[in-house]
Amino acid sequence: MGSLSSEDDQARFRSVVLPHLAQAYTLARWLTGDRADAEDVVQEACLRAFRGIGGFSGVNARAWLLTIVRHAAYTWLGKNRSGSLLMVDDLEAVERKQASVGALSEQAPETPEAALIAKADAARLEAAIAELPVPFRETLVLRDVQGLDYREIAEVTSVPIGTVMSRLARARHRLIARLGTEGPRDAS
């Protein structure tokens, strides 16, 4: 009784972790920037989750798993790509240097040309998100891709809700500025 392979632990793991695997992978993909690396991170996170399933309080399975994924991703990045964890100390100074341009406005007629433009714009958006500093990127992904609320993001990232709100606002501002400086794609 109480072993890692007990039927109760396996059943609990299936009910707590498995429904959120796609979201775990999405977060890992955004944090690592690579599909294969994300798979490695999710595998490690699943091992950690299985080992710790007995300590899960039953409150918020998604936040619990995404916290484990986040920690596994940072551990993996620290071992494999320590240079990618560069943090910017003076975010205000960096933001002051960036020009703020209006948001990208899009018209979406249903033509093959419009579909190609939309695909290019989606690629630009993904590239712009990938360029964000890690704290901003993870907050943006957790909110706008994963759909977590501010409280859940604060729980996953272990920061106050005010910090979550600030990071999200800054991330969105940077995306708008970045996409605005490139200019919208024109069909003509």
Side-chain angles (χ1 to χ4, degrees):
M1 201 85 183
S3 72
L4 287 178
S5 61
S6 77
E7 288 183 31
D8 289 341
D9 285 346
Q10 290 176 18
R12 192 163 192 210
F13 179 84
R14 283 191 299 274
S15 67
V16 170
V17 174
L18 295 184
H20 306 291
L21 273 182
Q23 293 176 335
Y25 174 77
T26 300
L27 178 60
R29 171 77 169 84
W30 278 108
L31 292 177
T32 63
D34 182 79
R35 291 177 193 272
D37 296 345
E39 290 171 359
D40 291 345
V41 166
V42 171
Q43 184 175 8
E44 174 60 27
C46 284
L47 288 171
R48 290 180 185 186
F50 188 75
R51 287 184 201 120
I53 197 71
F56 173 63
S57 65
V59 177
N60 188 337
R62 180 173 64 167
W64 180 75
L65 178 61
L66 293 179
T67 300
I68 294 170
V69 170
R70 179 177 178 264
H71 289 294
Y74 285 140
T75 300
W76 188 93
L77 287 168
K79 289 178 183 173
N80 297 289
R81 286 193 248 145
S82 58
S84 68
L85 291 178
L86 176 67
M87 301 286 182
V88 178
D89 289 331
D90 191 359
L91 295 173
E92 293 294 330
V94 172
E95 287 177 350
R96 283 191 297 268
K97 291 179 183 178
Q98 295 180 343
S100 178
V101 180
L104 179 64
S105 63
E106 294 187 29
Q107 308 294 333
E110 296 296 324
T111 66
E113 184 179 30
L116 185 59
I117 291 169
K119 186 175 179 180
D121 287 345
R124 286 178 41 239
L125 177 60
E126 186 171 331
I129 291 171
E131 291 175 4
L132 290 172
V134 173
F136 292 174
R137 183 173 61 229
E138 78 178 354
T139 303
L140 183 81
V141 168
L142 288 170
R143 176 69 185 137
D144 293 340
V145 176
Q146 301 287 354
L148 273 67
D149 62 32
Y150 294 144
R151 182 187 49 76
E152 291 172 318
I153 296 168
E155 185 180 327
V156 169
T157 59
S158 301
V159 299
I161 289 177
T163 303
V164 169
M165 294 167 63
S166 173
R167 286 179 179 176
L168 185 59
R170 289 178 179 198
R172 289 174 175 165
H173 174 78
R174 285 177 175 218
L175 282 179
I176 290 168
R178 172 75 171 140
L179 294 173
T181 57
E182 291 178 3
R185 299 281 187 223
D186 192 359
S188 52

